[in-house]
Amino acid sequence: MNELKIAPTKNSPEIGLNPDGVIRIKGRSIHENSIVFFKPVEEWVKEYVKDPADLTIIEVNLEYFNSASAKILINLLQKISHVRLKNKKFVINWYYEEGDEDILERGEYFSSVLNLPFSFIRIK
């Protein structure tokens, strides 16, 4: 399985998907067509969960994302959490800037809806 990297733009996040177990999403996610943008990411995750690393670390560091991106992100996190079915572990690190209550609250909402533990990391 190959690493997948997608460079950021003003409307799309930087994506780094490493088969060694590190998954990073960073930046802004406000695309016109989120489904098309995230299609290769979804395909990669689908393959990854078949034979995941012993520990999967998911790092979400978004400064802003729209509702279409939120829906896809929830779906991706849910799929990645299936590594538990293979007796593997995962950690979700949710980064937010100090004072950015919106991003923090969205992370808390995701954690609640997915019933998954998140580590919330404040950035100064």
Side-chain angles (χ1 to χ4, degrees):
M1 174 166 223
N2 293 325
E3 183 175 17
L4 175 64
K5 288 186 175 187
I6 301 173
T9 69
K10 65 178 183 157
N11 293 330
S12 62
E14 175 182 359
I15 306 281
L17 307 173
N18 189 313
D20 291 338
V22 179
I23 295 171
R24 289 190 178 99
I25 303 173
K26 182 179 181 178
R28 298 173 60 84
S29 188
I30 53 173
H31 335 90
E32 299 255 336
N33 193 337
S34 295
I35 294 169
V36 170
F37 176 81
F38 280 104
K39 185 72 172 165
V41 177
E42 288 183 359
E43 293 297 322
W44 189 94
V45 167
K46 188 173 158 183
E47 288 302 310
Y48 175 77
V49 296
K50 290 178 183 176
D51 187 24
D54 289 337
L55 173 63
T56 301
I57 300 170
I58 304 147
E59 297 191 341
V60 180
N61 186 353
L62 292 170
E63 61 187 60
Y64 182 80
F65 55 96
N66 60 16
S67 57
S69 295
K71 190 174 181 180
I72 290 170
L73 193 55
I74 284 177
N75 190 10
L76 285 172
L77 292 172
Q78 188 172 38
K79 285 179 182 172
I80 294 167
S81 74
H82 289 122
V83 303
R84 289 182 296 191
L85 302 175
K86 306 259 185 199
N87 292 319
K88 308 292 181 166
K89 296 180 181 177
F90 70 95
V91 173
I92 301 173
N93 294 324
W94 185 273
Y95 295 86
Y96 67 98
E97 288 188 22
E98 188 172 14
D100 190 346
E101 298 301 314
D102 289 340
I103 293 293
L104 173 59
E105 287 173 7
R106 289 184 95 178
E108 291 170 340
Y109 174 75
F110 283 14
S111 176
S112 171
V113 166
L114 294 167
N115 196 27
L116 297 174
F118 281 37
S119 296
F120 294 98
I121 302 167
R122 185 176 66 222
I123 304 168
K124 293 187 179 187

